[in-house]
Amino acid sequence: LYELRHASIPSEMISDKKIQKALQLAEKSHTSFVVILGDEEISKNSAQVKAMQSRETLELPLDKLVEHFKKQS
């Protein structure tokens, strides 16, 4: 989160045990992308990035998140 904000990429953390509830909150706030970081992703040093409009999900290494979002803007 710090690295995204430091790169001037607007970001917010929604901490919820139920992923569906967190995704619904993101959808209601018209969020473009959601970064999902659970135990499995942490063990692989990666994150799931979900495009809310297309519903596509891709897995990215954590050190590539800033680069990915800079390309999106």
Side-chain angles (χ1 to χ4, degrees):
L1 187 61
Y2 171 79
E3 289 182 23
L4 293 172
R5 288 180 178 168
H6 188 70
S8 299
I9 298 168
S11 7
E12 180 180 339
M13 183 168 76
I14 300 172
S15 180
D16 200 309
K17 299 247 183 222
K18 298 185 187 252
I19 189 70
Q20 284 302 100
K21 188 174 180 182
L23 290 173
Q24 288 172 349
L25 271 169
E27 193 168 1
K28 284 181 184 177
S29 65
H30 303 287
T31 301
S32 300
F33 295 94
V34 173
V35 176
I36 301 167
L37 190 60
D39 292 337
E40 184 177 330
E41 288 81 14
I42 291 170
S43 72
K44 296 191 296 187
N45 203 31
S46 66
Q48 297 289 323
V49 178
K50 182 175 184 114
M52 294 301 287
Q53 193 170 33
S54 68
R55 302 284 190 217
E56 291 180 28
T57 303
L58 68 123
E59 187 171 341
L60 289 175
L62 291 175
D63 62 353
K64 299 294 183 191
L65 283 177
V66 170
E67 180 183 329
H68 174 76
F69 287 114
K70 284 193 174 222
K71 287 180 185 177
Q72 301 298 319
S73 54

